Amino acid sequence: MSTSSTQSRHTNGRINSLQSNGHSSRDGSRPGKRIVSPNDAYLYALRVAYLTYLLQPKARRMQHTPAPQPPVQRSSTSINDLMKDFSLIRDNKSTRFPHGFMSELEKRLTGVLMGKERKPEYNDATVKRTFAAFFNAFTEQSFKKRMEKDRRVEDLVLIFFSNATKELQKGKTPADDSWKLMAERHLALFVRLVGLVLRDNDWARDRPELAGRLATLETKLLAHDQDLSSTPTRNGTSSGTTVEVVVPLSYEVKDMPLVQVVARIFGLTNAQVQSDINKYKPVWTEKAALQDLKSYQTYLNLNSWSTLRSDDFDLDGAYDNWRKAEAQDLSQMMLAIIQANPELAKSTPGSNLPQFHRQMSSPESANSGYPDALLKTSDHPERSSYVIEQPVDMTTINSGNPDPGASDGDDTAFTFIPPDARSYYRFIAAEAFAHDLNDTALQPSEATTETPATKLLSKQSMELLNELGLRWRIPPISRIVLFLDAVREKFLDEDITLDTLDAVFNFIKGQPSEAKKTQTFINPLMSDRTTWLLVDTALYQQILSSLHEALMRDLYNTMQQCYESKAPNIAPIMYVLENHIYEDPSFSKSPEEMDAFAGALYEGLQQKAHEKYRSYLEQHVPQDQQSWEFFNVIELGKAVTALAQKIQKRYKKNREVMGVNPLTALVETILPLYAEDARDIVTRILEHAQTEGKEVPIEDGFQLYAELTDIRRVHGEVLPNAPFPFSIEATLADFVWRWIAMTESAITDWVDQAIKQDNFRVRTDTPQQIPTEEQRHSVSVIDIFSSFNQAIDRIVQLNWDDDLQYAKFMTALAKIVGTGIARYCDVLEQRFSKEMDRLSPEQELAASQTKQEKWLQLAKDTWNNKEKIEPFQFFPESFVKLNNIDFATRQLDKLEHEVNVDACAAVIQRHALPVAQRQKKINNYVFTIKIVEAEDLKACDMNGSSDPYVVLGDEYQKRLAKTRIVYRNLNPRWDESVDITTQGPLNIIATVWDWDAMGDHDCVGRASLKLDPSHFGDFMPREYWLDLDSQGRILLRVSMEGERDDIQFYFGKAFRTLKRTERDMTRTITDKLSAYIHYCLSRRTLRNLTSKGISMSTVSSYFNRNRPQQPTPAPSEAEVANALKRLFAYFDDNFAIMNQTLTSTAMVMVMTRLWKEVLVTIEALLVPPLSDKPSQQRQLNQQELDIVFKWLQYLFDFFHAVDEETGEANGVPLDVLRSPKYFDITTLNFFYFEPTDALVRTSERMASAAAARQQSQRNRLSAPASLASPAFGGAAGLVGLPSTRRSKSIMLSRNLGTMKKAKEEKWKEAQADPNDDMILRILRMRPEAERYLKDRSRQKERLAAAAAADMIVRQSLMAGGGRMMGNLPRR
């Protein structure tokens, strides 16, 4: 059969055949196990170990042959004669030893005694003894002091000689004088040491005479002896010659290393082993070993069953390679035996001696690629029992030609090879492995970051096993497989650990080199499995399968403890499985078996999870249901969550183990159990609390919600497709509503306490410090918004997972915030009004005057034409209150964005019922009443004027609102709004009062109005001219909104409350300045400027009106400017006071309001208010008109406050200064002196254009701004005709953004729709235009009615067929 055809066959085919037929080519290759007795195994191992001793290279040693000893010659010169040379020159400085010599000599003597002296002559024991005796005397302090003082060498020499003599005489008889020559020799060594000290320290060069004397003394002492450098004997004579001789074998166990290893493995003493060796020594000879090899070689050549055959290999090529390598190994081993015992070659003819070949052994040798530990027998190649220097050919050795038939299959054919070598080898390997594991003297390998410290086979055991495999001709891979099979048995018996098994696999695969530590290194024998024996392949597969089964069982048992606090580590098991079992090509795992294991493991984990949960339930939930609390559910949930998190962290890197996720098994088991138990326990607790009339603490509910949501989060992550068993939000929502109700009941107290603890001062460290913008508001507004934020954050931190419920929570909190802000604004406004309405010192003085004194003072002031205009002394606390309102507005806007009001409203709108199913009755209604102005009021003061203000009250005389005071005006304008909430019709009474500094206030007049929600079903604003019961009338603008349970509504209401409070405070501040504005910008000031004072001609002109008047010269530019000088100074003084406390935003707001007051005052100079009645006001002449417009420009520049150096504006922005009223005033210059007929035509043209625009814009929801002016009165005003003016609804005021947008739209409408109001106001000063004014009034009423009717129809259509009362406008 060819090699190629043989290699094409699959390995498993022959393996299966082998397993099925049970056939093997020889007993040793059969997979079945022969029963091996320990004694037989011991004897076979012992004979191999003994053979190794016989074949080891013979040791050689050097043998000493002593030389003939010369006769001892005595010295005829005494020590005193030798020292004469020193005594003759004792006074010479050059003969004294130098300073420091004693310490150096002491070091040298110490070196001699410790054996560190480099000179060989000082290593003799007798020399060290005499030197030690001298050293004792030398180290005495008295001797050292004397020597350091005299520094004479002869003293040292004499002392040494004296101590040496005493030491050498010890143990000698008086007749024995052999010590004398030894004393002189030792003295010579001492003198030589002294000379060495001098030379080594470079002192001999400075003292040449001393060095010469010492050399002479040494020569004389050695005159009758050999040189000291020769190796002395014990008696002082020189050694003889040395020869090399062969050490004969002792045949003692103590000289047999491998025999001792066998004795230790089998637990025998050396004496027992020695007895067996002595018994079998005649049989276990080199000749018998050579005969075994010859017989084996014969069987190999004959392809006998006693050796491996081609049937034992899967490929014929593998068998051929093995046989070739086997022949070479046999030749090497036989030559090694002959070299060890050359006598064996004498019986062989010379032509049959082995021939040496020059070529090297084949690279395909069986030893190539083996693990080093399995090939080496010793670290010293010379001790090898079979290694020779060159390959040889042993085929010519005469083997005696044994009869193959006679020995084929005979178990006793060999002396050193057992009948079943594989079984014997496996048995001995197991015994050696067990012994080394239990050997405490055997040190484990060093632990690394990747492998722990392990103990496998000792070096001696590996040498024995290699020797056994070599002698028994077991292939290297078979040795590995058999050793692994022995290890497998130990592992199954739980005699070794998993780390040891891992170390064994790494051992048989071979260790990586230093350069490849991070790479996987597989021994070539393990990778090239085509060379394996079939029986080894089958056994190896059986080993892997058995180990896999055992490891899977261990893995299952280990995973059953994975939910414990300290679970065993599965990494070692997984590492062995993945790196040594699954990666091995000889192992094949069945998918069905793996699936079955995964299923069993998953069921086991679920059972363990259930048991773990039951233990938690028993631990945290008491048996008595009456004692259940939320705390028990929380603690149980924490335990479950902690366990899940621990398992998630524990298996973070490897989430699945054999296809099973421990976390999934845990969560799928315990989370549904916990959810159901939590639902039942919570329901039972709530029912019990309701029965007992108690309430579960709110914080317990919040904590429970946090724990349950955490459980639900884990449930969703692990089980995304499984719904949570119950709705947590529906169960625990009542706790949130209870907390909101508690917050609502406490909000007023929070606000009151914050105000009570506030002194309303800027928050500076020192009074002299200039406050920053952030320091200009006080602590109360910070405290209340801190309370608001804490309340909202408490709900936000719950992370409520129901959007609709969360939006409703935020809506309720928005209502609470609005309540708190309303309370804060109300208290601050009351305090602010009290501070601003206080009497001045002059008023307090006047209050104490008698009535006669008051009349006299009033007459005096009238005669002197004196106006009591005094600057108002503002309190800093008042400005801080205004700053607080401004800060509150900004904080509320920030809060509105953080809450995400629009998103909450959208969620509620999305879940709202259809329009047809909504509740059609609105319980609460919000009426917004704006007190606009009054006309033709009764004069209540002696100066022919009044100081009017309005008080709104209900039919039960409850005050609802109060306006500011407008001083000295019978046609006042307030423009103040108030919100009134009602559940049904309400009658309101508007009372106009005249403010008096002294005494009671006078009633100017009253009017009443019924607020009926049914009349405002279209939610359109209406204007009412109400006639007073005395004289004149008052204009009220009324609009209605249904109070909505809507978050945008509540925020809008809170914003409007803040803005109204801010506006009212600002107006109150500006009212304190407006009196002086009216005084400076009055017609009297204008008259004084044009007439330059009162003269007789001026008085006479009043009585001669028909005479032609002489033209008065126009005032100069400086005179016009000087007329405003006092006003500007007044502004500067007050602005300086305000700037110390007000924020920049509040400052601009006050200046803006003052600018509006300036515009109203200038407008009043030019034209009367709009009405359908003629006015008594006189039209200004051209000169006066020019002065007024110059004043307007001066005031514009003053309020804009442009820095002349930088050009930067520091005052009111231009877009605010250039308001619609400013443009209306500037347009007066075009019409002011036009003839009446021209003005009428222009007005008619504008009216026609307005009607056309109204007709073309029917599709708009609001009418043009040109129709939004106040009505002229008449019947329509009495019935309250709907106004087309855009209503400032709460929804348009829900944040700063919507308010800014509404203001921009109002500005655009004012710019886009010019009107004829200013023309009509000019016509009021023209008596001839009285009829046109009435006609134009009726026309505007008809247009307004048509626009309102059209809007009602369109709103009805948009609401779905006219159902307007039931539903409020939606976004």
Side-chain angles (χ1 to χ4, degrees):
M1 183 181 295
S2 64
T3 304
S4 60
S5 63
T6 305
Q7 292 177 348
S8 64
R9 293 180 296 170
H10 197 272
T11 304
N12 290 335
R14 190 171 292 187
I15 294 175
N16 296 334
S17 175
L18 176 66
Q19 293 175 343
S20 60
N21 298 331
H23 175 73
S24 177
S25 59
R26 54 178 263 181
D27 293 339
S29 63
R30 294 175 185 171
K33 295 181 181 178
R34 174 192 289 264
I35 299 177
V36 179
S37 66
N39 185 63
D40 292 343
Y42 156 70
L43 290 177
Y44 274 101
L46 181 62
R47 66 186 70 183
V48 172
Y50 175 68
L51 178 62
T52 303
Y53 171 72
L54 295 178
L55 298 181
Q56 68 180 355
K58 299 300 186 291
R60 296 179 179 272
R61 67 184 181 187
M62 303 302 295
Q63 184 171 338
H64 178 73
T65 303
Q69 186 169 348
V72 179
Q73 298 181 359
R74 305 297 181 186
S75 174
S76 60
T77 305
S78 67
I79 189 63
N80 294 327
D81 294 337
L82 296 176
M83 298 301 297
K84 285 181 179 179
D85 293 337
F86 287 93
S87 61
L88 292 175
I89 55 172
R90 61 185 303 171
D91 294 333
N92 192 345
K93 183 178 180 180
S94 64
T95 61
R96 297 178 184 274
F97 55 78
H99 292 288
F101 174 79
M102 292 293 291
S103 60
E104 293 297 327
L105 179 60
E106 184 177 358
K107 294 180 182 178
R108 204 65 176 258
L109 290 172
T110 304
V112 171
L113 297 179
M114 296 181 66
K116 296 181 179 180
E117 181 58 44
R118 295 185 300 273
K119 300 295 183 178
E121 56 266 24
Y122 294 97
N123 294 329
D124 186 73
T126 308
V127 174
K128 293 182 180 179
R129 187 157 56 91
T130 56
F131 272 65
F134 168 72
F135 187 77
N136 292 333
F138 178 80
T139 54
E140 292 182 2
Q141 294 298 324
S142 59
F143 176 75
K144 292 178 68 176
K145 290 181 180 180
R146 187 173 72 252
M147 293 305 301
E148 290 175 354
K149 178 180 179 182
D150 298 337
R151 293 186 292 134
R152 294 187 301 179
V153 176
E154 58 268 28
D155 294 343
L156 286 174
V157 174
L158 291 175
I159 292 298
F160 180 86
F161 185 75
S162 174
N163 285 278
T165 301
K166 293 178 182 179
E167 187 66 28
L168 292 175
Q169 282 181 344
K170 292 179 180 180
K172 302 290 184 181
T173 60
D176 187 2
D177 59 353
S178 60
W179 57 270
K180 294 183 179 180
L181 187 59
M182 184 67 67
E184 293 178 0
R185 182 177 297 108
H186 289 189
L187 180 60
L189 291 174
F190 177 73
V191 172
R192 178 179 294 182
L193 186 65
V194 172
L196 290 173
V197 173
L198 291 174
R199 286 195 301 272
D200 292 346
N201 291 276
D202 204 18
W203 288 326
R205 187 172 54 184
D206 298 335
R207 289 168 171 77
E209 189 171 354
L210 177 60
R213 296 292 181 180
L214 289 174
T216 302
L217 179 59
E218 180 184 350
T219 303
K220 290 180 179 180
L221 289 172
L222 298 177
H224 305 288
D225 205 350
Q226 61 189 18
D227 186 70
L228 292 175
S229 62
S230 61
T231 305
T233 60
R234 295 181 63 181
N235 59 359
T237 60
S238 61
S239 60
T241 60
T242 302
V243 295
E244 186 180 45
V245 297
V246 176
V247 179
L249 296 176
S250 64
Y251 297 99
E252 295 180 0
V253 173
K254 64 181 182 63
D255 297 328
M256 305 176 186
L258 285 186
V259 172
Q260 295 177 21
V261 174
V262 173
R264 288 195 295 268
I265 290 176
F266 287 93
L268 301 177
T269 63
N270 288 351
Q272 293 173 320
V273 175
Q274 186 69 57
S275 175
D276 291 335
I277 289 177
N278 295 336
K279 178 180 178 180
Y280 293 105
K281 182 166 61 174
V283 181
W284 298 344
T285 62
E286 298 95 325
K287 183 177 180 180
L290 182 61
Q291 184 61 39
D292 281 356
L293 295 178
K294 291 179 180 179
S295 300
Y296 184 84
Q297 187 181 44
T298 300
Y299 295 146
L300 180 65
N301 294 333
L302 297 176
N303 197 18
S304 170
W305 292 100
S306 297
T307 63
L308 297 178
R309 297 163 56 88
S310 60
D311 292 340
D312 294 319
F313 293 88
D314 186 49
L315 301 177
D316 292 340
Y319 170 71
D320 296 337
N321 293 334
W322 170 82
R323 180 168 178 167
K324 182 178 179 181
E326 193 76 355
Q328 293 179 358
D329 284 350
L330 290 175
S331 299
Q332 296 276 353
M333 294 172 64
M334 285 188 285
L335 182 59
I337 294 175
I338 292 174
Q339 286 181 341
N341 189 357
E343 296 296 330
L344 295 177
K346 295 180 179 181
S347 60
T348 304
S351 59
N352 293 333
L353 291 176
Q355 305 295 321
F356 291 89
H357 298 292
R358 294 296 179 186
Q359 71 274 13
M360 297 299 293
S361 61
S362 171
E364 299 176 356
S365 174
N367 290 342
S368 62
Y370 295 171
D372 293 341
L374 297 178
L375 296 180
K376 294 194 303 182
T377 58
S378 175
D379 289 339
H380 305 284
E382 62 273 9
R383 295 182 56 191
S384 175
S385 60
Y386 61 92
V387 175
I388 59 176
E389 296 179 355
Q390 292 179 337
V392 297
D393 184 8
M394 297 295 294
T395 57
T396 59
I397 293 184
N398 184 11
S399 60
N401 296 327
D403 184 10
S407 59
D408 192 16
D410 188 1
D411 289 347
T412 62
F414 303 102
T415 302
F416 290 93
I417 303 176
D420 186 359
R422 291 175 62 90
S423 298
Y424 277 82
Y425 184 87
R426 183 192 178 282
F427 183 88
I428 296 172
E431 293 295 321
F433 184 59
H435 172 267
D436 290 344
L437 286 178
N438 299 323
D439 188 3
T440 57
L442 179 61
Q443 296 296 326
S445 62
E446 294 184 2
T448 64
T449 57
E450 299 180 357
T451 59
T454 55
K455 290 170 57 175
L456 295 178
L457 292 174
S458 64
K459 177 182 176 182
Q460 296 78 8
S461 298
M462 286 190 290
E463 290 180 357
L464 175 63
L465 292 177
N466 282 332
E467 196 67 28
L468 293 176
L470 178 74
R471 294 297 167 189
W472 296 349
R473 305 315 301 149
I474 299 177
I477 191 60
S478 298
R479 306 177 202 173
I480 295 175
V481 174
L482 292 172
F483 173 70
L484 185 60
D485 187 40
V487 172
R488 174 195 61 82
E489 185 176 2
K490 293 290 183 183
F491 180 74
L492 296 181
D493 294 339
E494 298 183 358
D495 293 336
I496 61 174
T497 63
L498 201 61
D499 292 334
T500 305
L501 180 63
D502 174 53
V504 169
F505 271 107
N506 292 329
F507 169 74
I508 66 175
K509 293 179 180 180
Q511 299 298 330
S513 62
E514 287 294 328
K516 300 181 179 180
K517 280 188 175 181
T518 59
Q519 300 178 1
T520 303
F521 179 85
I522 302 298
N523 190 287
L525 274 176
M526 299 297 292
S527 59
D528 184 13
R529 308 198 177 189
T530 59
T531 62
W532 286 27
L533 299 177
L534 295 178
V535 66
D536 289 335
T537 302
L539 179 59
Y540 187 67
Q541 291 179 347
Q542 181 182 353
I543 292 171
L544 293 180
S545 178
S546 178
L547 288 176
H548 178 259
E549 182 179 352
L551 290 172
M552 295 296 281
R553 183 170 57 252
D554 292 347
L555 178 61
Y556 180 88
N557 295 332
T558 303
M559 288 299 297
Q560 295 303 298
Q561 306 177 50
C562 70
Y563 300 140
E564 302 299 328
S565 58
K566 294 183 179 179
N569 188 10
I570 66 168
I573 302 177
M574 297 303 300
Y575 179 83
V576 174
L577 283 172
E578 293 174 358
N579 291 275
H580 300 314
I581 305 297
Y582 295 150
E583 288 188 358
D584 198 296
S586 298
F587 178 79
S588 59
K589 53 183 177 180
S590 170
E592 293 78 9
E593 294 178 358
M594 299 303 294
D595 293 341
F597 175 81
L601 178 60
Y602 192 81
E603 292 178 0
L605 291 179
Q606 284 187 319
Q607 181 64 29
K608 290 295 180 181
H610 191 275
E611 294 175 1
K612 194 69 176 178
Y613 176 74
R614 299 312 301 178
S615 66
Y616 284 158
L617 190 64
E618 294 174 359
Q619 178 182 356
H620 297 290
V621 180
Q623 296 292 332
D624 183 16
Q625 296 185 7
Q626 303 297 327
S627 60
W628 282 354
E629 297 179 356
F630 280 3
F631 175 77
N632 304 128
V633 184
I634 294 172
E635 291 300 311
L636 179 60
K638 287 181 178 179
V640 170
T641 305
L643 178 60
Q645 292 175 347
K646 182 187 297 183
I647 299 304
Q648 186 178 24
K649 183 178 180 181
R650 182 175 292 170
Y651 297 97
K652 183 178 181 180
K653 294 183 178 179
N654 299 314
R655 297 185 177 182
E656 291 190 353
V657 179
M658 293 300 175
V660 176
N661 190 327
L663 180 62
T664 303
L666 175 71
V667 174
E668 285 185 348
T669 304
I670 66 174
L671 289 191
L673 293 174
Y674 172 78
E676 294 174 1
D677 290 343
R679 177 195 59 200
D680 297 340
I681 295 174
V682 170
T683 303
R684 180 68 184 87
I685 292 173
L686 295 177
E687 291 176 352
H688 179 70
Q690 186 177 4
T691 303
E692 297 291 330
K694 300 178 181 179
E695 288 186 344
V696 181
I698 295 176
E699 284 301 320
D700 290 354
F702 286 175
Q703 293 179 10
L704 177 62
Y705 179 77
E707 191 61 39
L708 290 177
T709 52
D710 200 14
I711 293 286
R712 185 173 59 188
R713 177 187 57 80
V714 178
H715 185 279
E717 291 176 356
V718 182
L719 306 173
N721 298 323
F724 199 69
F726 74 103
S727 174
I728 305 174
E729 285 73 21
T731 305
L732 301 179
D734 183 62
F735 288 91
V736 183
W737 289 117
R738 284 171 51 197
W739 184 86
I740 291 175
M742 182 183 67
T743 303
E744 185 177 12
S745 63
I747 190 67
T748 302
D749 185 61
W750 291 356
V751 174
D752 292 342
Q753 290 299 323
I755 295 175
K756 183 179 179 180
Q757 298 174 9
D758 193 1
N759 57 7
F760 294 99
R761 296 184 182 275
V762 292
R763 295 175 294 109
T764 55
D765 298 332
T766 60
Q768 295 78 16
Q769 182 181 353
I770 298 176
T772 62
E773 286 290 314
E774 294 300 323
Q775 294 176 333
R776 292 177 183 253
H777 52 268
S778 60
V779 297
S780 60
V781 68
I782 299 176
D783 292 342
I784 65 168
F785 271 93
S786 176
S787 301
F788 295 159
N789 284 309
Q790 289 177 5
I792 292 175
D793 289 343
R794 191 68 185 91
I795 302 300
V796 172
Q797 291 170 0
L798 290 176
N799 294 318
W800 203 261
D801 201 21
D802 187 306
D803 291 343
L804 180 59
Q805 287 185 348
Y806 177 81
K808 291 181 178 180
F809 295 157
M810 290 295 108
T811 301
L813 288 177
K815 183 179 180 181
I816 295 173
V817 170
T819 303
I821 289 177
R823 175 64 178 175
Y824 187 73
C825 291
D826 184 45
V827 175
L828 254 65
E829 195 168 11
Q830 290 178 13
R831 293 192 176 192
F832 182 84
S833 299
K834 186 176 181 180
E835 294 167 357
M836 301 300 290
D837 292 343
R838 71 185 188 278
L839 298 176
S840 65
E842 291 79 5
Q843 291 172 339
E844 292 178 355
L845 180 61
S848 61
Q849 293 176 342
T850 63
K851 190 172 184 180
Q852 184 178 4
E853 291 174 341
K854 294 178 183 178
W855 280 104
L856 290 175
Q857 184 66 35
L858 181 60
K860 183 179 179 181
D861 292 342
T862 304
W863 176 258
N864 294 329
N865 196 23
K866 179 181 176 182
E867 291 281 353
K868 292 186 177 181
I869 305 300
E870 301 168 354
F872 185 79
Q873 299 299 323
F874 294 100
F875 287 164
E877 292 84 352
S878 302
F879 293 148
V880 171
K881 292 181 178 65
L882 179 58
N883 292 341
N884 287 358
I885 298 299
D886 175 62
F887 180 79
T889 303
R890 289 184 279 114
Q891 290 298 310
L892 184 63
D893 185 69
K894 180 180 177 182
L895 187 63
E896 192 263 353
H897 285 85
E898 292 177 351
V899 172
N900 200 353
V901 169
D902 293 340
C904 293
V907 170
I908 295 177
Q909 181 68 23
R910 188 166 59 248
H911 292 82
L913 295 174
V915 176
Q917 300 179 13
R918 296 179 190 174
Q919 186 178 0
K920 296 186 178 181
K921 184 178 180 181
I922 300 177
N923 295 324
N924 293 330
Y925 303 92
V926 179
F927 283 96
T928 301
I929 303 175
K930 183 172 184 179
I931 305 171
V932 183
E933 61 180 337
E935 274 187 0
D936 195 21
L937 296 180
K938 180 179 70 174
C940 297
D941 295 337
M942 290 182 296
N943 58 3
S945 182
S946 294
D947 302 320
Y949 66 93
V950 180
V951 174
L952 287 183
D954 60 9
E955 52 191 322
Y956 304 105
Q957 298 182 352
K958 177 182 177 182
R959 176 181 288 191
L960 302 177
K962 174 187 174 183
T963 67
R964 75 187 192 282
I965 302 171
V966 179
Y967 296 96
R968 301 175 184 85
N969 201 326
L970 297 178
N971 299 291
R973 189 176 186 90
W974 293 282
D975 285 328
E976 295 187 22
S977 300
V978 61
D979 287 340
I980 299 175
T981 302
T982 180
Q983 295 182 348
L986 177 67
N987 292 319
I988 62 170
I989 300 173
T991 305
V992 182
W993 294 90
D994 171 54
W995 179 86
D996 286 329
M998 299 166 292
D1000 296 334
H1001 300 181
D1002 299 325
C1003 179
V1004 178
R1006 290 184 178 87
S1008 63
L1009 176 67
K1010 183 178 181 179
L1011 301 179
D1012 191 346
S1014 62
H1015 297 164
F1016 291 84
D1018 54 1
F1019 299 100
M1020 292 295 297
R1022 284 171 167 77
E1023 293 181 345
Y1024 296 90
W1025 276 104
L1026 303 178
D1027 292 329
L1028 300 178
D1029 56 1
S1030 58
Q1031 175 184 334
R1033 60 181 181 172
I1034 184 172
L1035 176 62
L1036 301 181
R1037 184 176 295 123
V1038 183
S1039 63
M1040 187 195 76
E1041 276 189 280
E1043 187 172 51
R1044 303 164 53 181
D1045 187 19
D1046 183 273
I1047 188 170
Q1048 293 176 327
F1049 177 85
Y1050 291 130
F1051 267 96
K1053 189 175 181 181
F1055 268 109
R1056 191 157 70 170
T1057 301
L1058 286 171
K1059 296 306 290 186
R1060 282 182 178 174
T1061 304
E1062 183 181 66
R1063 184 172 62 248
D1064 292 344
M1065 286 183 174
T1066 305
R1067 181 174 290 164
T1068 303
I1069 293 173
T1070 57
D1071 284 348
K1072 298 300 180 182
L1073 307 178
S1074 62
Y1076 199 69
I1077 295 174
H1078 297 159
Y1079 172 74
C1080 294
L1081 300 179
S1082 62
R1083 283 181 174 255
R1084 181 180 53 192
T1085 305
L1086 189 62
R1087 185 170 59 250
N1088 292 337
L1089 184 62
T1090 55
S1091 64
K1092 299 182 180 180
I1094 301 176
S1095 62
M1096 292 302 296
S1097 60
T1098 306
V1099 176
S1100 63
S1101 65
Y1102 288 105
F1103 299 97
N1104 300 291
R1105 294 181 180 273
N1106 295 328
R1107 290 185 181 181
Q1109 300 293 327
Q1110 297 293 329
T1112 305
S1116 65
E1117 192 78 20
E1119 291 174 336
V1120 175
N1122 287 334
L1124 298 181
K1125 187 174 182 180
R1126 288 186 299 172
L1127 179 61
F1128 290 157
Y1130 183 72
F1131 282 159
D1132 287 337
D1133 292 341
N1134 285 279
F1135 288 169
I1137 296 173
M1138 296 177 187
N1139 197 40
Q1140 294 177 359
T1141 307
L1142 287 178
T1143 62
S1144 58
T1145 305
M1147 189 68 190
V1148 171
M1149 188 165 49
V1150 171
M1151 293 177 67
T1152 302
R1153 180 62 197 171
L1154 278 175
W1155 171 247
K1156 291 181 179 179
E1157 192 68 30
V1158 167
L1159 293 179
V1160 170
T1161 304
I1162 291 179
E1163 184 184 45
L1165 283 175
L1166 297 174
V1167 291
L1170 186 64
S1171 178
D1172 58 346
K1173 297 178 181 180
S1175 175
Q1176 300 299 321
Q1177 182 174 332
R1178 179 181 62 85
Q1179 187 171 345
L1180 300 179
N1181 57 35
Q1182 184 66 52
Q1183 187 181 52
E1184 292 172 334
L1185 185 65
D1186 292 341
I1187 293 175
V1188 170
F1189 276 101
K1190 287 181 181 180
W1191 285 352
L1192 180 62
Q1193 186 61 43
Y1194 291 153
L1195 289 166
F1196 184 93
D1197 296 338
F1198 176 82
F1199 277 92
H1200 193 39
V1202 177
D1203 193 329
E1204 296 180 357
E1205 295 181 358
T1206 62
E1208 181 180 358
N1210 298 318
V1212 182
L1214 282 177
D1215 58 339
V1216 177
L1217 292 174
R1218 294 170 178 169
S1219 62
K1221 186 174 289 294
Y1222 174 79
F1223 281 104
D1224 288 343
I1225 293 174
T1226 56
T1227 57
L1228 278 175
N1229 204 14
F1230 299 102
F1231 305 106
Y1232 202 74
F1233 297 108
E1234 288 287 321
T1236 303
D1237 295 339
L1239 290 177
V1240 170
R1241 288 194 297 271
T1242 303
S1243 175
E1244 290 176 346
R1245 187 167 57 252
M1246 288 185 175
S1248 299
R1253 282 195 303 272
Q1254 181 178 350
Q1255 185 65 29
S1256 62
Q1257 297 175 357
R1258 296 263 183 191
N1259 56 343
R1260 296 184 57 184
L1261 295 179
S1262 61
S1266 60
L1267 301 180
S1269 58
F1272 285 94
L1278 293 176
V1279 299
L1281 187 69
S1283 171
T1284 58
R1285 179 184 297 272
R1286 179 181 295 275
S1287 174
K1288 292 183 179 179
S1289 68
I1290 292 177
M1291 299 302 291
L1292 293 177
S1293 305
R1294 63 180 182 272
N1295 56 42
L1296 294 179
T1298 56
M1299 296 168 70
K1300 182 179 179 181
K1301 186 176 180 181
K1303 189 177 295 184
E1304 291 175 353
E1305 291 181 356
K1306 179 180 177 181
W1307 170 262
K1308 291 178 181 178
E1309 290 179 358
Q1311 293 294 321
D1313 298 328
N1315 57 72
D1316 62 341
D1317 288 353
M1318 282 299 177
I1319 296 176
L1320 295 176
R1321 296 173 73 172
I1322 295 173
L1323 290 175
R1324 285 195 64 192
M1325 297 184 293
R1326 311 282 179 90
E1328 62 273 17
E1330 180 180 2
R1331 184 175 183 81
Y1332 176 76
L1333 289 175
K1334 292 184 178 181
D1335 294 341
R1336 181 75 178 99
S1337 174
R1338 288 193 291 269
Q1339 181 185 11
K1340 295 187 74 171
E1341 290 172 359
R1342 289 194 298 270
L1343 291 174
D1350 182 67
M1351 182 171 292
I1352 292 173
V1353 172
R1354 292 191 177 278
Q1355 285 187 342
S1356 176
L1357 293 175
M1358 292 176 63
R1363 292 187 297 270
M1364 295 178 292
M1365 279 299 294
N1367 300 285
L1368 297 175
R1370 293 280 179 177
R1371 286 200 320 135

